[in-house]
Amino acid sequence: MNAVRISAFALIIAGGLGLAYGGFSYTKSTQQAQVGPLELTVNEQETVNIPIWAGVAAIAVGALLLVAPRNS
């Protein structure tokens, strides 16, 4: 399997996951204050939404890479 086919499969899988889950979240720690030996840290939950058009576009580009003629 060459690099183009691997990239095509990766795009199709990533697009499918993007459509299935719609986004992902992660925790970000920030230091708010430090007074002497005391330190105040806040954990914030951040969410990244993946647009539907991005998932569909990734699947379409992956499919085009699979069916495109190759010059060998």
Side-chain angles (χ1 to χ4, degrees), residues 2-65:
N2 60 10
V4 174
R5 290 181 63 95
I6 293 172
S7 299
F9 285 127
L11 281 171
I12 292 170
I13 291 170
L17 289 174
L19 289 176
Y21 290 108
F24 60 92
S25 61
Y26 63 95
T27 303
K28 182 172 96 173
S29 295
T30 56
Q31 181 179 349
Q32 295 290 48
Q34 185 173 3
V35 179
L38 298 175
E39 181 179 311
L40 178 64
T41 303
V42 176
N43 291 329
E44 297 178 46
Q45 187 79 17
E46 299 285 332
T47 302
V48 178
N49 294 320
I50 300 172
I52 293 174
W53 62 264
V56 171
I59 292 172
V61 169
L64 285 175
L65 285 175

